[in-house]
Every structure is written in C-alpha cells, then in structure tokens.
C-alpha cells in the first residue's frame, strides 16, 4: 500500500494544504520506466474490474475533487483508459438543477452510486455542498455545518452496504493553476475549457483551501478515506491515483464465483 500510505489523510489530523508539496513525485521521474509502471497499473485495473464484476458482491466509488484545472478530467481519461466501459460509470456534478434542489443535497449523489460489480466515478460530488456552497454562502452556516456529519453518515451507509469509497483531492498550487489557465488561453484546442467563472473562482483560492482543509479533517474515515495527491505533475498524479485504486482492489481479496452448474465438463457431443 505504498502510495495509499503516503497520501492518505488519517482520521483526526489537521491538514494545512500550503504545507503539502504539490510537486512531490516520491523520487519518480517522468521517464519510460515510470510510464511502464503506469501502463502496468492501468492493465491491472482492467483485470481487477473484471473480477469485481464477476464477483458482483461489492462496488467501488471513486470521488474526485480539485480546484479548476486541477485535472479531474485528465485523471479519469488516463486512469480509466484500460477499463471495460461497461464496468465503469462516470457522473459529473454541476450546479444542481431545480429538481435536485427540491431534494436533500445527498439525493443526487445517492442516485448515482455504483451498483455491485461496478466502479462509479464522481467528477465533483456531494462535497461541493460544503465547498462552493460554503465559499459563496449559498446556504446559511447552520445548514452547511451539519453536512459534514450527514456526509459521514451517508458514506457509512454505502460502506456498510459493500461500497468501497476512495476520495481523491488533486492538489495543485495556485501558480500551477495560473500556468494551466494561460495554456488554455494560448492553445486554440484548449480555449473551450476556460470560462469566466474559472477566473472568478481563483479570487477565492484561500477560502477554498480553508473549506477543503475542514473537509479533510472532518470527513476522512477508515471506510472512506481522503487522499491528497500532489498533482502539479500530471504523470505523477495518474500514477498515484491508479496505484491507490489498484492497491485497494488488490486488498479486497475478491474471488471468482464458483460455477453455478458445476462440476463443468467439456461437451463431448459433436
Ligand atoms: P470542466 O470545467 O472541466 O468542464 P467542471 O467540473 O469545472 O468541469 P463546470 O461546468 O465548469 O464543470 O462547473 C461545474 C460547476 O458546478 C462548478 O463551479 C461547481 O462548483 C458547481 N457545482 C457543483 N455542485 C454544486 C452544488 N452542489 N452547488 C452549487 N454549485 C455546484
Ligand atoms: Mg470548470
């Protein structure tokens, strides 16, 4: 559990994001050896997803959170590139619709949770309800401050029903965000990714950091841990996320089910 151990947020710890190096690569270099390791991890994930589906007793939920340009989309594109599309469902959470707002904040997340045998990926999640909602005061404090406990109870319910939960924060520096925004301005194939809202949100960087730090100290649990992934280097981010997912699935001791009609014999009729 090398990568998991390195980046997990243990329960009851206070995180200061500014103290965590977003350029960390644990000594890995962006070379052919690292690429080969990532390729192997991506292949292994495919085999493990096959086993998860064959067993169909458990589900895996991967939650991705990051600041704008933090790399949620790129992580999904790379890390899941080897997985059978039938075994994996990605849900992107945007501003809630009128219908979603007419329900409790966890309703839309619960609807999107993976069924047994499946990997579910949340691109943003119910954590937005204690992040953007808190930073922009979209609901009063007495409402959002209750949500940490509500989220913990919700994730406990999922875990008790055989859903393994992994939560990743893709940690980039404010400087790296600026570099990525500039790249999006300069590159015509990336212009479309930028919105005025991205620049506006950047003004609230420190408020977001504070809101994230509260999320980590209040909502990391043994059954649904947070991992803070140094993400200034995209190749390292992909390696770390992929390795943690593989390490976790490996540790679940999944078994192929015994044939329902055993013992199986080859059909000898012609
Ligand atoms: P990309 O920009 O890469 O397409 P994105 O996830 O940033 O991906 P956008 O459509 O740009 O997608 O942004 C979605 C917006 O919806 C974000 O600003 C996010 O904070 C907001 N959002 C998500 N959940 C909620 C929520 N519960 N309440 C209010 N706003 C939310
Ligand atoms: Mg966006």
């Amino acid at each position: 559990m090398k990568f998991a151990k390195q980046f997990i947020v243990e329960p009851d710890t206070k995180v200061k994001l500014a103290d965590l190096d977003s350029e960390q690569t644990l000594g890995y270099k962006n070379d052919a050896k690292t690429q080969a390791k990532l390729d192997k991890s991506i292949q292994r994930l495919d085999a493990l997803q096959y086993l998860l589906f064959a067993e169909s007793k458990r589900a895996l939920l991967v939650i991705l959170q990051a600041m704008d340009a933090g790399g949620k989309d790129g992580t999904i594109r790379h890390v899941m590139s080897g997985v059978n599309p039938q075994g994996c469902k990605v849900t992107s959470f945007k501003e809630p619709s009128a219908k979603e707002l007419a329900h409790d904040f966890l309703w839309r997340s619960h609807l999107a949770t993976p069924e047994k045998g499946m990997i579910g990926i949340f691109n943003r999640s119910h954590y937005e309800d204690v992040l953007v909602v808190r930073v922009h005061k979209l609901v009063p404090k007495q409402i959002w401050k209750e949500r940490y406990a509500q989220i913990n109870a919700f994730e406990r319910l999922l875990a008790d029903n055989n859903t393994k939960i992994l939560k990743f924060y893709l940690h980039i520096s404010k400087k790296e965000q600026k570099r990525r925004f500039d790249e999006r301005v300069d590159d015509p194939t990336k212009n479309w990714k930028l919105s005025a809202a991205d620049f506006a949100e950047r003004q609230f960087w420190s408020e977001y950091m504070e809101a994230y730090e509260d999320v980590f100290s209040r909502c990391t649990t043994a059954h649904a841990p947070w991992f803070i992934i140094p993400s200034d280097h995209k190749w390292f981010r992909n390696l770390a996320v992929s390795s943690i997912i593989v390490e976790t699935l490996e540790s679940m001791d999944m078994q192929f089910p015994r044939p329902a009609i055993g013992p199986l014999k080859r059909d000898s009729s012609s």
Side-chain angles (χ1 to χ4, degrees):
M1 302 295 270
K2 187 176 152 204
F3 285 90
K5 236 182 144 94
Q6 193 73 37
F7 299 123
I8 197 165
V9 183
E10 299 287 356
D12 304 317
T13 40
K14 261 220 121 350
V15 173
K16 204 84 211 94
L17 279 168
D19 296 342
L20 298 179
D21 181 7
S22 53
E23 290 183 287
Q24 165 76 267
T25 65
L26 298 183
Y28 285 96
K29 297 199 170 56
N30 188 14
D31 57 15
K33 211 168 131 207
T34 300
Q35 186 58 46
K37 192 173 166 65
L38 176 62
D39 290 347
K40 217 173 122 205
S41 179
I42 286 170
Q43 268 177 28
R44 185 72 193 124
L45 186 53
D46 183 41
L48 287 162
Q49 189 282 320
Y50 181 77
L51 180 53
L52 183 78
F53 186 75
E55 197 196 55
S56 278
K57 284 191 177 156
R58 293 173 273 194
L60 177 71
L61 173 60
V62 174
I63 294 180
L64 292 171
Q65 286 286 159
M67 295 296 284
D68 290 308
K72 294 179 273 83
D73 292 308
T75 303
I76 296 168
R77 187 151 61 91
H78 286 95
V79 171
M80 304 312 290
S81 59
V83 168
N84 180 351
Q86 286 194 95
C88 169
K89 185 177 152 212
V90 182
T91 308
S92 297
F93 292 93
K94 309 281 180 185
E95 275 182 45
S97 66
K99 188 174 170 69
E100 287 167 346
L101 283 173
H103 289 266
D104 68 84
F105 79 101
L106 289 167
W107 179 75
R108 64 178 184 162
S109 280
H110 208 164
L111 275 183
T113 52
E115 55 208 65
K116 293 185 173 77
M118 295 287 289
I119 298 179
I121 314 242
F122 283 5
N123 180 351
R124 300 188 189 268
S125 65
H126 41 279
Y127 283 96
E128 293 292 326
D129 293 279
V130 285
L131 291 164
V132 63
V133 166
R134 165 176 165 172
V135 169
H136 290 290
K137 305 181 171 58
L138 301 181
V139 302
K141 181 169 182 184
Q142 62 268 34
I143 302 280
W144 62 251
K145 78 176 176 36
E146 298 301 328
R147 289 183 171 172
Y148 302 100
Q150 291 162 350
I151 288 173
N152 288 340
F154 169 60
E155 292 179 356
R156 171 99 246 170
L157 171 75
L158 299 182
D160 286 350
N161 285 276
N162 288 348
T163 297
K164 185 79 207 163
I165 305 170
L166 299 174
K167 303 181 293 201
F168 296 99
Y169 173 66
L170 310 178
H171 179 38
I172 58 166
S173 65
K174 196 174 178 192
K175 200 170 118 212
E176 175 63 13
Q177 187 193 51
K178 172 82 168 51
R179 205 192 58 71
R180 292 185 188 183
F181 280 0
D182 288 347
E183 194 178 276
R184 290 177 179 188
V185 170
D186 295 340
D187 180 347
T189 70
K190 290 188 176 170
N191 285 170
W192 65 274
K193 283 194 177 187
L194 265 182
S195 68
D198 292 344
F199 290 100
E201 286 310 281
R202 191 172 155 76
Q203 316 285 323
F204 294 93
W205 184 274
S206 57
E207 287 86 341
Y208 271 106
M209 293 303 107
E210 216 176 292
Y212 268 112
E213 286 165 357
D214 275 350
V215 159
F216 302 139
S217 54
R218 290 169 197 211
C219 299
T220 195
T221 54
H223 56 274
W226 271 104
F227 298 90
I228 301 177
I229 307 295
S231 298
D232 281 0
H233 296 292
K234 296 175 182 175
W235 57 269
F236 181 75
R237 169 203 77 199
N238 294 340
L239 178 66
V241 172
S242 170
S243 301
I244 292 171
I245 297 174
V246 166
E247 285 170 9
T248 304
L249 288 169
E250 301 266 19
S251 73
M252 283 165 49
D253 190 31
M254 294 184 287
Q255 306 289 336
F256 283 106
R258 295 162 66 81
I261 47 159
L264 291 181
K265 287 204 183 83
R266 286 178 196 274
D267 188 351
S268 54
S269 62
S270 50

